[in-house]
């Protein structure tokens, strides 16, 4: 049985789907939900779903203290699901090729600094793109540049608002992220 930790800073709808996906699995379980935001809704979801949670600071992430927490909890695989801090080298080195992220666009488009959440969907809209999608990739020290594991696209209508684009992307995320994680562990 592999222990998965999910790191999230926000709502955690992906985290919830991943937890449900692995409920009853003999392969892996979500052993921990960790967040750098005390009030993040993902922590409510963890509570409701009986998954242990942990809040940590940016300083603890950077010093390696948080990596020690993951080691103590015997975490085998790390999933980023809307986690907004840059991952430091100490954490990447502790989980080589064992950490995955989801980006709400078709990388390498709309990646890098500042490209998160609604900024991405607004940029897609502003460019007049006719499609967007999701990218699931391994995490390395350069944001959004790790090896791409999976991408899939969805059409963007001329009149779609950034909110509507976000909704379409979320549908893809919820459908594919749990399955791709399962294929990686
Ligand atoms: C997702 O769109 C994901 O691609 C991005 O952050 C968002 C998190 O959404 N990295 P949620 O908190 O899982 O609802």
């Amino acid at each position: 049985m592999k222990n998965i930790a999910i790191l999230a800073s926000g709502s955690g709808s992906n985290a919830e789907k991943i937890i449900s996906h692995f409920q009853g699995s003999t392969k892996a379980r979500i052993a921990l939900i960790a967040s750098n935001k005390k009030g993040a809704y993902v922590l409510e979801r963890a509570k409701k779903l009986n998954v242990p949670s942990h809040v940590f600071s940016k300083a603890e992430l950077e010093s390696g203290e948080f990596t020690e927490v993951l080691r103590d909890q015997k975490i085998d695989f790390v999933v980023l699901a809307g986690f907004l801090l840059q991952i430091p080298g100490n954490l990447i080195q502790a989980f080589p090729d064992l950490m995955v992220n989801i980006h709400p666009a078709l990388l390498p488009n709309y990646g890098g600094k500042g490209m998160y959440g609604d900024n991405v969907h607004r940029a897609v809209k502003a460019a007049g793109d006719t499609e967007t999608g999701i990218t699931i990739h391994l995490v390395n020290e350069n944001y959004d540049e790790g090896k791409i594991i999976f991408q899939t696209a969805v059409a963007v209508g001329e009149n779609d608002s950034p909110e509507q684009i976000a909704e379409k992307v979320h549908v893809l995320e919820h459908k594919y992220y749990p399955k791709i994680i399962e294929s990686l562990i």
Side-chain angles (χ1 to χ4, degrees):
M1 179 69 90
K2 299 279 185 200
N3 287 324
I4 298 175
I6 302 177
L7 275 54
S9 304
S11 157
S13 69
N14 279 285
E16 180 158 348
K17 291 285 175 194
I18 298 163
I19 293 167
S20 313
H21 181 85
F22 284 99
Q23 261 162 5
S25 166
T26 50
K27 235 172 133 183
R29 65 161 162 254
I30 310 309
L32 188 70
I33 296 284
S35 183
N36 62 309
K37 286 257 190 288
K38 220 171 45 199
Y41 187 61
V42 69
L43 296 169
E44 297 292 317
R45 296 190 200 253
K47 204 167 155 194
K48 195 179 74 193
L49 296 163
N50 288 315
V51 177
S53 63
H54 176 80
V55 177
F56 60 96
S57 65
K58 190 172 178 210
E60 286 165 341
L61 177 68
E62 283 167 1
S63 70
E65 239 177 280
F66 174 64
T67 300
E68 283 311 308
V69 171
L70 296 179
R71 283 212 176 95
D72 288 349
Q73 306 258 342
K74 310 253 178 298
I75 298 300
D76 301 294
F77 195 86
V78 176
V79 171
L80 308 181
F83 184 66
L84 294 181
L85 296 180
Q86 180 126 22
I87 304 295
N90 76 71
L91 185 49
I92 290 167
Q93 281 141 28
F95 293 92
D97 289 343
L98 295 169
M99 189 174 349
V100 74
N101 182 42
I102 189 161
H103 188 77
L106 296 168
L107 290 175
N109 299 336
Y110 308 110
K113 212 171 171 353
M115 277 296 154
Y116 59 86
D118 291 341
N119 294 349
V120 174
H121 309 304
R122 276 196 287 268
V124 167
K125 169 86 188 161
D129 289 0
T130 54
E131 63 170 24
T132 186
I134 61 170
T135 303
I136 297 171
H137 64 93
L138 297 179
V139 177
N140 69 17
E141 281 168 63
N142 296 327
Y143 238 53
D144 297 332
E145 283 178 23
K147 182 181 171 213
I148 292 176
I149 307 290
F150 177 84
Q151 290 187 304
T152 189
V154 64
V156 175
E158 220 180 298
N159 299 318
D160 283 357
S161 65
E163 292 72 27
Q164 284 166 318
I165 299 173
E167 236 169 79
K168 287 181 175 177
V169 166
H170 255 117
V171 170
L172 294 182
E173 293 185 330
H174 295 165
K175 179 167 175 199
Y176 291 105
Y177 205 14
K179 291 183 194 160
I180 298 296
I181 292 164
E182 184 170 358
S183 76
L184 289 172
I185 50 167

